[in-house]
Amino acid sequence: MSDVCQNTAGEGMKSSWPELVGRRGEEVKEIIDRENTKVTAKIISENAVVLAVVICDRVYVRVNDQGIVTRTPISLANLIVIYIYIYIYICVCVCESIMDLNM
């Protein structure tokens, strides 16, 4: 887990809920709030644009027009780690391409 959000997934606390996709958003929010007391679930539209602001204790529950969860709810602390890995991967690929061009 990221040092930035180190307090949002305590020992034995969940940070991802793939098993809740397809259930009602309100029900999912209650489950997440109960299973990890260090985060707060917030229901948003599946099409909502979320700013890249680090809110470590937030879990977005994306729902469709019928209120059904369409994506795996995941704590933003996990997303930070994923973004770091993607950034590193892109940097490595770009560096390799530049090196290939210079040879």
Side-chain angles (χ1 to χ4, degrees):
M1 189 72 61
S2 168
D3 288 338
V4 175
C5 296
Q6 60 187 340
N7 294 323
T8 58
E11 188 69 32
M13 289 190 177
K14 292 180 73 169
S15 59
S16 177
W17 292 265
E19 72 279 6
L20 300 180
V21 173
R23 294 173 79 168
R24 291 183 318 100
E26 287 295 329
E27 176 186 15
V28 169
K29 179 186 180 333
E30 290 175 13
I31 292 169
I32 292 170
D33 289 342
R34 184 177 59 243
E35 289 186 352
N36 185 339
T37 57
K38 295 187 177 196
V39 300
T40 301
K42 180 175 173 144
I43 298 172
I44 62 173
S45 166
E46 65 183 337
N47 299 319
V49 176
V50 179
L51 297 175
V53 176
V54 178
I55 305 173
C56 297
D57 63 348
R58 176 79 42 84
V59 175
Y60 289 119
V61 177
R62 292 184 175 269
V63 298
N64 62 17
D65 292 337
Q66 291 77 40
I68 303 300
V69 176
T70 58
R71 298 187 203 170
T72 298
I74 184 170
S75 76
L76 294 182
N78 284 347
L79 289 178
I80 291 169
V81 173
I82 291 168
Y83 288 144
I84 289 170
Y85 286 135
I86 292 171
Y87 177 77
I88 291 169
Y89 176 78
I90 290 170
C91 289
V92 168
C93 291
V94 168
C95 289
E96 287 177 353
S97 296
I98 291 171
M99 289 172 50
D100 287 343
L101 291 173
N102 290 329
M103 293 193 161

